[in-house]
Amino acid sequence: MPSFDTVYVGFNAATMASNSDYGTIKDAAIAVKNGHIEWIGPACDLPEHKATTVNLGGGWVTPGLVDCHTHIVFGGDRSSEYEMRLQGANYEAIAKAGGGIVSTVVDTRKASAQQLLESAKKRLHGLMADGVTCIEVKSGYGLDLATETKMLRVARTLGEELSVTLRTSCLAAHALPQEYQGRADAYIDLVCDEIIPSLAKAGLADAVDGFCEGIAFSVAQIERVFKAALAHNLPVKLHAEQLSNLGGSGLAARYKALSSDHLEYLSDADAVAMAAAGTVAVILPGAFFCLKETKLPPIQRLRELGVPMAIASDCNPGSAPVLSLRLMMSMACTLFGFTPLEALQGVTRHGAQALGLGQSHGQLKVGYAADFVCWDIQQPAELSYWLGGQLVKHRAVAGQIT
Ligand code: NIG
Ligand code: FE
């Protein structure tokens, strides 16, 4: 007789274990052992066992949602910039005038770790209430060693204190801090020679990210950051082609990046390079919407090339104050032409792939983490259909309902 810790029954499952459909199992059962899925299939085929059986009482179970791109740790807020943008000011102009990312840096440097933890917890609770069980959290509002370290320590604490799987990224190459004005290469020296080595040594960064853009860093500067990351065995990813085309995604592909993110201005050649490199395209509809962007990311081309497309909240105080990943699924469908199936793939298997967790998260499959959500819906497509509402009935991380 197999030994399970808990067996869940009473739901249909969208396992997302297939690349081409929901991987549906009607009237399914999931057996959990040591936080992992030990058995999954139709309840009628469940082997005899002695474990506690929990009936979830109907609805659909999907893998827990993976939010693979967030900046949830930050000080202050930028609602005044939001008001300025509504009056016609633009994101790049605000950034060039000393607002934008750099203004959040001032507030993040001032904030204590405890203040950062409390405010980030509230945001994370919001995302979790809407189905997130796995999240990536970036630094990038410190831009000095002490504050980048403070941010990633806070991120690690979030992962320890809340029931969520959490991955961190060092985003020291996010913007040029005030004290380095006119000396961007000297700041990149600091990132490569001090910040990345120190965070890597402390085990605080799982990956290294950057912002390749006119208002941030050039391809050549980001390449130096990538070399430093690889020297410390850290995988890379990039914010690229958000406001213009600099070719950052081509660089990301050359460095076998986990993902290249935003991509409104992605060139065809770079899309082809991403496909060859296996780099995930992370689509961020919240930033597109909040910045009133009109250039659409080349979704049809990415689809044709077979580039896995993830969807994330990009939760941050400037371009995307987003606390619902389901709302991003809806926007990806309505604004970018995703199908509801692609949207769910984007926040499960492809989101996990973008974090290097494609072999352990984002699918309901034997051996994978028993992270799942039971939704109060009749069809999986409802996950990108409803805007708002409370669809989560139960949420389990490592097999425990939380
Ligand atoms: O992903 N593009 C760069 N970074 C963030 C925005 C950060 C901010 O405005 O504070 C983004 O959109
Ligand atoms: Fe971002």
Side-chain angles (χ1 to χ4, degrees):
M1 192 179 297
S3 87
F4 302 139
D5 296 335
T6 316
V7 173
Y8 293 98
V9 298
F11 54 86
N12 298 321
T15 65
M16 308 311 285
S18 150
N19 201 18
S20 53
D21 57 34
Y22 288 108
T24 297
I25 305 173
K26 288 283 178 74
D27 199 1
I30 294 175
V32 176
K33 172 119 180 137
N34 296 332
H36 288 84
I37 297 176
E38 185 84 357
W39 189 95
I40 180 165
C44 59
D45 294 343
L46 187 66
E48 231 183 281
H49 66 91
K50 288 197 175 130
T52 313
T53 299
V54 178
N55 192 315
L56 297 182
W60 280 77
V61 164
T62 68
L65 305 191
V66 180
D67 192 349
C68 67
H69 178 141
T70 85
H71 311 246
I72 57 168
V73 175
F74 58 83
D77 77 275
R78 306 227 296 277
S79 51
S80 56
E81 274 180 23
Y82 169 63
E83 292 186 292
M84 284 161 69
R85 288 205 313 274
L86 292 174
Q87 304 288 331
N90 106 353
Y91 183 72
E92 278 169 287
I94 292 171
K96 281 183 188 142
I101 295 170
V102 163
S103 74
T104 298
V105 170
V106 173
D107 290 330
T108 306
R109 286 179 178 177
K110 273 196 289 207
S112 69
Q114 191 57 30
Q115 287 167 331
L116 293 176
L117 181 66
E118 276 165 23
S119 62
K121 251 188 201 173
K122 287 189 206 165
R123 294 169 202 126
L124 184 46
H125 276 304
L127 290 162
M128 286 164 57
D130 207 31
V132 168
T133 57
C134 177
I135 192 166
E136 183 255 18
V137 179
K138 303 175 194 299
S139 65
Y141 293 120
L143 313 185
D144 60 29
L145 178 58
T147 318
E148 291 288 302
T149 305
K150 177 172 72 177
M151 288 184 73
L152 291 186
R153 284 224 165 91
V154 167
R156 286 279 190 242
T157 306
L158 284 170
E160 284 155 19
E161 294 190 0
L162 301 189
S163 70
V164 73
T165 300
L166 191 143
R167 283 289 174 277
T168 58
S169 301
C170 164
L171 178 57
H174 194 195
L176 190 61
Q178 293 290 5
E179 63 273 20
Y180 278 87
Q181 273 318 312
R183 298 187 297 130
D185 286 311
Y187 178 64
I188 294 295
D189 289 342
L190 176 79
V191 172
C192 297
D193 300 342
E194 289 184 38
I195 298 181
I196 290 174
S198 167
L199 295 175
K201 190 164 173 228
L204 286 172
D206 299 316
V208 170
D209 197 349
F211 187 17
C212 188
E213 190 55 71
I215 55 169
F217 298 103
S218 68
V219 169
Q221 287 162 339
I222 295 292
E223 181 160 19
R224 292 179 55 208
V225 173
F226 281 3
K227 284 190 169 143
L230 296 189
H232 290 87
N233 293 319
L234 292 173
V236 299
K237 54 174 72 175
L238 192 61
H239 288 67
E241 277 66 77
Q242 179 187 14
L243 308 168
S244 63
N245 177 272
L246 294 191
S249 299
L251 175 79
R254 283 203 294 290
Y255 281 79
K256 296 272 181 282
L258 289 169
S259 69
S260 188
D261 305 26
H262 286 290
L263 306 178
E264 281 82 346
Y265 291 81
L266 181 66
S267 71
D268 196 69
D270 286 355
V272 170
M274 285 173 65
T279 296
V280 176
V282 177
I283 303 298
L284 303 168
F288 174 95
F289 172 78
C290 293
L291 300 185
K292 295 193 189 169
E293 179 58 69
T294 51
K295 177 113 170 72
L296 292 165
I299 301 302
Q300 178 54 24
R301 187 63 179 135
L302 291 166
R303 186 184 283 131
E304 280 163 14
L305 289 165
V307 177
M309 294 184 286
I311 300 168
S313 69
D314 194 14
C315 178
N316 75 68
S319 65
V322 171
L323 296 174
S324 165
L325 194 51
R326 263 195 324 106
L327 179 59
M328 298 304 99
M329 296 168 70
S330 171
M331 284 187 178
C333 293
T334 303
L335 300 175
F336 298 161
F338 275 58
T339 65
L341 170 62
E342 288 172 326
L344 188 55
Q345 289 172 330
V347 296
T348 55
R349 54 187 293 142
H350 294 162
Q353 194 179 334
L355 296 181
L357 297 175
Q359 302 304 313
S360 58
H361 291 74
Q363 301 177 46
L364 300 177
K365 201 169 165 174
V366 170
Y368 275 54
D371 292 0
F372 60 82
V373 174
C374 183
W375 305 92
D376 187 8
I377 54 174
Q378 308 299 314
Q379 303 297 336
E382 287 179 61
L383 294 176
S384 51
Y385 165 73
W386 297 106
L387 282 74
Q390 291 178 341
L391 302 188
V392 174
K393 280 177 67 180
H394 307 283
R395 178 182 176 282
V397 172
Q400 302 281 329
I401 302 258
T402 58

